[in-house]
Amino acid sequence: GRQGRTTGGLSASFVQSDGIDVSGTGGESDGYTRVFVSTTGRVALAEGESIQWAARVADFESEFDSDSDFNGLLNDTAEHSDGQQAALGGRLTLRRFGFQHDIAINASQDRLETFNVGIPQSKTEARRLQSYYQATGNWQIGGASHRLTGLLEVEGVQFESFAGVGAGSNQSRDINNTAIAADYRFSSGPARLSASLRQDQNDEFENATTWRFGGAWAFDDVGGRLRASFGDGVKNPGIYELYGFFPGSFIGNPALTPERSRGWEIGWDQTLGEIGQVSLTWFEARLEDEIYTDFGAFPFTARNRSTRSRRSGLEFDTAFMPIAGLNVTASATHLEAVENGMPELRRPEFTGSFAINWSPAAGDWQIGLAADHTGQQLDTDFSTFTTVNLPAYTLVSARLEWQMAETVGLYVRGTNLTDEERVDVLGYTSEGRGLFVGIRFGE
């Protein structure tokens, strides 16, 4: 809705599913229920100035199976979790002294309680508070455009867990991080350049400085563009990796250090006249101090790898409309991921997708067909601690929608139409063929 300078919206959803038997042992299905409500709003103060806010709450219940006999495979268990999520955020945007100023604060809270045969097992609660100030300036000098952005960000995360009096997993932790960053953009004729620099100061880890550079050059006479970028990044260990505790199976490692990556990419974007575009990108990245779970120790724990992970590949992407109303998209990625000379787990060498949608200009219906392919990949069989091959699979889906009236649509959607058996994580069953029929109201 809208009233004067104020706009706002409210949305709500409810989802309930009987689910599937995740363990694949032929036991009962693992269901899921979720209620979600959100609201957003904006008040315009002046030209380019505003106050914005958003809030959301969710309540869910999810049944699941676990490895109750610790043989590396899921068992059909009567476990479920109850959770609540809440988030609230606001942003003030002002224009002063030739700059745009953004001041924001965001808060969130997540609660989760697990049960086994109705008996409480554990409770966790996480709270996050983040605020930032960002200033952005734009200048035009001659035929060149310049944009400079500065950022100051403060974030705090608190985590609490309780699994009964005297439990080893009972703990309360907090991690705080302060960051400063700058980003510069340059544009002149066919040239585009960008550079960014960020420093994070964390109370648990060493200060980290990351950077990124990028550039592009347009060749208008052939309808193409050459682009390239390179940079590095840091990922800090998570709360569970640092302090997690599961009796008889896992204990966290507070001595972990952050993961560090560095990579680059180069690509070409080519327009196909008025009907579409094709993109080709070559990329390469190195990952150091990768965090992994060491199953060779007992109880299991998290560690940093002493070897590097190398990932490189080629990406292809295209979208075109050969005739009016017919849209075709396709993408493919060839990936080579190696850790210490061996292929990495759960990194398929080839993935691809294809989709075609037809919507006659004068018609009241539309139809779509899509296929998504995931190539062969490796995984670990935790019952024997050996490496196994997960077979490739292709998922085919289709959709047909009929516009019954100006604001009413009837649709039929099918997923995994060939009832393909797929495994992304060994021991976890995936959904088979699905058919959905629905009615949609609104413009």
Side-chain angles (χ1 to χ4, degrees):
R2 177 186 297 272
Q3 180 65 45
R5 294 186 174 186
T6 303
T7 59
L10 176 69
S11 66
S13 66
F14 172 77
V15 177
Q16 185 175 37
S17 171
D18 292 337
I20 63 172
D21 175 26
V22 179
S23 68
T25 61
E28 64 180 1
S29 299
D30 301 300
Y32 179 79
T33 302
R34 182 173 186 262
V35 179
F36 178 83
V37 180
S38 68
T39 180
T40 59
R42 181 179 184 273
V43 177
L45 304 177
E47 182 67 29
E49 299 186 343
S50 64
I51 298 175
Q52 302 179 56
W53 68 87
R56 67 179 186 273
V57 293
D59 187 277
F60 65 89
E61 180 176 337
S62 178
E63 298 175 340
F64 62 94
D65 293 329
S66 67
D67 181 10
S68 59
D69 56 7
F70 302 103
N71 68 345
L73 299 174
L74 291 180
N75 302 104
D76 187 49
T77 59
E79 296 177 90
H80 77 275
S81 59
D82 290 339
Q84 297 81 39
Q85 299 172 325
L88 176 66
R91 185 178 70 185
L92 171 65
T93 300
L94 300 173
R95 291 186 178 273
R96 299 288 189 275
F97 315 112
F99 283 82
Q100 175 178 307
H101 307 266
D102 292 288
I103 304 171
I105 184 168
N106 300 286
S108 64
Q109 179 175 274
D110 292 80
R111 295 177 178 173
L112 185 70
E113 186 171 5
T114 62
F115 301 82
N116 190 355
V117 198
I119 301 174
Q121 300 294 301
S122 65
K123 294 181 180 179
T124 61
E125 182 173 337
R127 293 177 294 273
R128 175 177 175 267
L129 181 63
Q130 181 229 28
S131 60
Y132 69 83
Y133 166 69
Q134 179 175 292
T136 304
N138 293 278
W139 298 272
Q140 191 76 26
I141 302 177
S145 299
H146 305 265
R147 178 175 179 173
L148 180 64
T149 301
L151 172 73
L152 172 63
E153 179 185 83
V154 179
E155 181 181 68
V157 177
Q158 295 179 317
F159 175 82
E160 297 177 0
S161 66
F162 179 78
V165 178
S169 59
N170 295 348
Q171 57 186 306
S172 178
R173 305 285 183 177
D174 61 89
I175 298 177
N176 300 295
N177 191 83
T178 301
I180 56 174
D183 182 82
Y184 171 70
R185 309 271 172 144
F186 169 85
S187 175
S188 178
R192 302 288 187 274
L193 297 173
S194 65
S196 61
L197 185 68
R198 176 184 173 109
Q199 184 182 61
D200 286 88
Q201 299 178 350
N202 192 285
D203 58 6
E204 292 284 331
F205 312 105
E206 293 183 2
N207 297 343
T209 301
T210 53
W211 49 269
R212 182 180 184 276
F213 296 98
W217 188 278
F219 296 86
D220 294 333
D221 53 340
V222 296
R225 184 182 66 147
L226 180 66
R227 51 182 167 77
S229 65
F230 56 99
D232 69 355
V234 168
K235 179 182 180 298
N236 292 329
I239 289 283
Y240 272 109
E241 293 168 330
L242 290 167
Y243 309 115
F245 183 86
F246 298 92
S249 61
F250 180 85
I251 185 169
N253 180 4
L256 289 173
T257 59
E259 298 178 337
R260 185 113 195 179
S261 65
R262 178 168 295 182
W264 59 269
E265 69 174 38
I266 184 169
W268 178 268
D269 302 323
Q270 179 66 52
T271 59
L272 305 175
E274 300 294 327
I275 66 171
Q277 177 177 297
V278 173
S279 297
L280 199 63
T281 305
W282 176 264
F283 62 90
E284 189 165 318
R286 300 286 189 276
L287 178 64
E288 296 180 352
D289 296 322
E290 181 180 6
I291 298 172
Y292 72 104
T293 301
D294 183 3
F295 293 101
F298 193 83
F300 309 143
T301 190
R303 301 188 190 279
N304 291 104
R305 292 194 187 276
S306 59
T307 55
R308 288 183 178 182
S309 170
R310 173 185 174 273
R311 298 161 190 178
S312 61
L314 185 66
E315 290 183 337
F316 165 82
D317 186 81
T318 184
F320 60 97
M321 183 185 295
I323 60 175
L326 183 63
N327 291 279
V328 180
T329 60
S331 64
T333 300
H334 173 77
L335 174 67
E336 192 174 287
V338 178
E339 170 68 46
N340 196 26
M342 298 295 293
E344 285 195 297
L345 302 180
R346 299 176 189 169
R347 295 281 190 271
E349 186 174 325
F350 177 80
T351 56
S353 66
F354 174 84
I356 182 169
N357 291 275
W358 168 246
S359 179
D364 53 7
W365 58 273
Q366 55 181 304
I367 186 171
L369 180 68
D372 296 279
H373 178 80
T374 298
Q376 179 178 290
Q377 54 187 317
L378 301 178
D379 201 359
T380 299
D381 183 345
F382 289 105
S383 64
T384 59
F385 287 95
T386 57
T387 301
V388 296
N389 286 314
L390 301 182
Y393 63 85
T394 301
L395 301 180
V396 179
S397 61
R399 178 186 176 93
L400 175 65
E401 182 164 349
W402 172 43
Q403 198 69 28
M404 303 169 57
E406 185 177 354
T407 58
V408 182
L410 178 67
Y411 67 87
V412 178
R413 178 168 57 91
T415 59
N416 193 8
L417 295 177
T418 60
D419 203 23
E420 183 93 347
E421 292 187 11
R422 70 186 193 276
V423 178
D424 292 310
V425 178
L426 189 68
Y428 287 79
T429 301
S430 300
E431 291 181 324
R433 183 185 294 113
L435 179 65
F436 303 82
V437 180
I439 190 167
R440 187 186 307 280
F441 300 90
E443 299 179 357

